[in-house]
Amino acid sequence: MQNLLVGVWALESFEIINKDGDIINPYGEQPIGYLLYTDSGYMSVTIMNRERERCDAENFKCANPYEKTKAAETYFSYCGRYEIQGDTVLHDVEISLFPNWVGTVQDRIMKIEGNSLLLFKERIKISNVNHAVRLRWRRQT
């Protein structure tokens, strides 16, 4: 069976849906990001707010605590191996900006329609409250 995920995907939207159905855009109205799946079973995702504040420091290690916090709040990335099980893709996280995800498996329901990929998680805890997360991607290669 052909793996339809293999390739490069550009982020079109990232939405968090709260219990009341309100939509939150955690990386702004026009986030930017890429999702890569290889035919050898590796994946990588990077997402950021398009309107990130620049730091005064010349490198991240020298940035002040406020700059580091803002940089981390407007950027997310992780990578590792992946596996497809039915309509679900499992991301086995090996490296992550958020240390608590390292060693976890992040499962997402996937739906491919033409050059569009929807990844969806029905229940994810944010501040101890369940939310849904929906990411829409557009195939680049």
Side-chain angles (χ1 to χ4, degrees):
M1 180 172 105
Q2 181 184 6
N3 181 346
L4 297 177
L5 286 180
V6 169
V8 178
W9 301 84
L11 185 63
E12 290 189 326
S13 65
F14 185 126
E15 299 174 330
I16 296 174
I17 302 101
N18 69 18
K19 62 183 177 71
D20 298 323
D22 298 324
I23 294 176
I24 302 157
N25 301 107
Y27 295 97
E29 293 289 323
Q30 296 181 331
I32 187 169
Y34 287 101
L35 173 61
L36 288 71
Y37 288 106
T38 70
D39 57 3
S40 59
Y42 285 90
M43 62 77 54
S44 179
V45 62
T46 302
I47 298 169
M48 71 177 208
N49 184 311
R50 194 177 295 268
E51 306 297 326
R52 297 175 81 202
E53 292 180 30
R54 294 186 58 83
C55 297
D56 289 333
E58 291 188 30
N59 67 60
F60 187 75
K61 291 285 187 186
C62 294
N64 66 49
Y66 172 80
E67 291 174 325
K68 288 179 180 180
T69 299
K70 290 305 288 180
E73 287 177 347
T74 57
Y75 179 88
F76 192 68
S77 181
Y78 69 88
C79 62
R81 298 200 46 90
Y82 77 96
E83 177 183 342
I84 299 170
Q85 291 184 356
D87 67 349
T88 302
V89 61
L90 306 173
H91 297 161
D92 186 3
V93 181
E94 296 175 24
I95 300 169
S96 176
L97 173 68
F98 185 51
N100 296 16
W101 276 24
V102 174
T104 69
V105 175
Q106 297 297 315
D107 59 299
R108 302 293 183 265
I109 297 169
M110 62 179 184
K111 185 175 184 181
I112 298 175
E113 294 176 339
N115 287 326
S116 185
L117 168 65
L118 177 66
L119 293 180
F120 185 77
K121 176 81 175 174
E122 238 178 86
R123 289 177 35 162
I124 190 165
K125 279 206 185 282
I126 302 171
S127 300
N128 286 329
V129 177
N130 283 323
H131 293 73
V133 177
R134 180 172 53 208
L135 293 93
R136 184 168 301 280
W137 304 86
R138 170 88 33 209
R139 182 179 293 282
Q140 302 299 293
T141 64

